Amino acid sequence: MIGLTMKHLRYFAALSRHRHFGRAAQACAISQPALSVQMKELEAILGAPLIERSARQIRLTRLGEALAERAEDILRAVDEIEDLARSAHDMMAGRLRIGVIPTIAPYLLPALIKHLSQRFPGLDLRPREAVTQTLIQELLDMRLDMGIVALPVSEPALHEEVLFDEEFMLVRPDTDADKPVPRAETLREMRLLLLEEGHCFRDQALSFCNIGQATPRDLMEGSTLATLVQMVGVGIGVTLIPEMAVATETSSAAVSVARLPEPRPKRRIGMVWRKTSPLAPHLAGIAAALRAMHDTGEIGGRMAA
């Protein structure tokens, strides 16, 4: 008879987190039927049902809930052992799970992955894009090794390493290119396009414009920076985007980009990881490499003043 394996625990832990076979299968990079087979095999090994299946959702049985908690503890312990083994070597190898927020990922990840792949060919890089709250929770749950986010995150269990600061840029229709650049109080009176709730960049922009969390009548939302810029290009309003996004997002839109008057809004980009992570020395080295890449213009390229 097949015994209980780490694979069973990892798949079951994913299912207990997502409570959905499709999403759990996607997180595990396997097919939904394969995940279902693994769960039936696990139930056969334990001799009791773990899951209550229905058409729309799944629920864990009493045994399933107990196993989910124990499985997370076991998986965290195994990951810690693997991290300890990796930290004993001068060069990093094996899996490195990197979380990055959406307003950074498209503009920084390609250069970072290229750099790490060349420097550490034995690394198995696992990038993940998600909003800050999700990344922080996954770091605490040991499902990520490091995160690249806007600081501060103010989580006592995480170490914060500053990488660089960058300004917010004003994006207007190209027909407004010769108009005076509005101040924050003027932006409050314009149709402002911002990311939907859940993105820290939205909160930072609202704070700069001194707009409360209640959505004003003329504030419109988009799911990505690319969407916001394209909406500006057809004359719907104006938006703010981080400086590192300018080259990528404005190249195909009929927009103009300007620096805002002093005091200019900006955000602080940093790396975070668990204070107890055995990989901390290696992660500090990655942070130093990112700072150097920013200083040489490989990432977070600056516009002319």
Side-chain angles (χ1 to χ4, degrees), residues 67-301:
L67 179 60
E69 185 176 346
R70 297 291 182 87
E72 292 286 2
D73 291 341
I74 293 168
L75 292 172
R76 277 194 290 268
V78 170
D79 285 342
E80 285 182 344
I81 292 171
E82 292 176 351
D83 288 346
L84 283 168
R86 283 189 287 164
S87 67
H89 300 282
D90 291 335
M91 292 195 60
M92 292 183 69
R95 182 185 62 194
L96 182 65
R97 300 162 298 181
I98 305 171
V100 191
I101 59 175
T103 56
I104 295 177
Y107 323 110
L108 184 147
L109 261 182
L112 174 61
I113 289 174
K114 180 180 178 181
H115 172 84
L116 291 178
S117 297
Q118 291 175 342
R119 184 173 178 184
F120 305 109
L123 270 183
D124 174 18
L125 298 172
R126 305 280 184 90
R128 163 141 168 73
E129 181 180 310
V131 296
T132 302
Q133 298 94 319
T134 299
L135 296 183
I136 296 307
Q137 189 59 53
E138 292 187 358
L139 276 165
L140 296 176
D141 291 342
M142 297 188 66
R143 300 201 297 272
L144 288 174
D145 298 307
M146 56 171 274
I148 301 177
V149 298
L151 299 179
V153 296
S154 303
E155 169 51 57
L158 298 180
H159 171 77
E160 300 182 9
E161 188 83 7
V162 175
L163 298 177
F164 55 87
D165 293 342
E166 70 164 349
E167 293 181 13
F168 299 175
M169 309 300 292
L170 175 66
V171 181
R172 302 182 286 179
D174 56 4
T175 52
D176 292 351
D178 296 328
K179 294 182 179 180
V181 178
R183 304 190 69 84
E185 55 269 23
T186 306
L187 280 177
R188 293 200 297 270
E189 302 167 2
M190 303 174 73
R191 177 170 288 180
L192 187 61
L193 311 181
L194 293 176
L195 292 172
E196 59 194 4
E197 290 188 13
H199 292 270
C200 60
F201 188 79
R202 168 199 171 94
D203 298 335
Q204 293 159 349
L206 287 172
S207 176
F208 168 69
C209 298
N210 196 23
I211 298 174
Q213 289 300 318
T215 304
R217 177 176 57 83
D218 286 337
L219 190 149
M220 300 182 67
E221 297 177 334
S223 59
T224 66
L225 295 177
T227 299
L228 298 183
V229 172
Q230 293 299 322
M231 290 168 70
V232 172
V234 296
I236 292 179
V238 301
T239 193
L240 300 174
I241 66 173
E243 192 168 9
M244 69 169 69
V246 169
T248 299
E249 304 302 353
T250 65
S251 59
S252 62
V255 298
S256 62
V257 182
R259 292 192 186 280
L260 289 153
E262 298 283 1
R264 292 170 177 164
K266 63 182 180 179
R267 65 177 179 175
R268 175 155 288 177
I269 305 302
M271 262 180 62
V272 293
W273 59 82
R274 292 180 302 280
K275 291 179 178 178
T276 57
S277 173
L279 296 177
H282 298 300
L283 297 176
I286 292 174
L290 279 169
R291 280 192 291 269
M293 293 166 71
H294 175 262
D295 292 343
T296 58
E298 292 180 69
I299 58 173

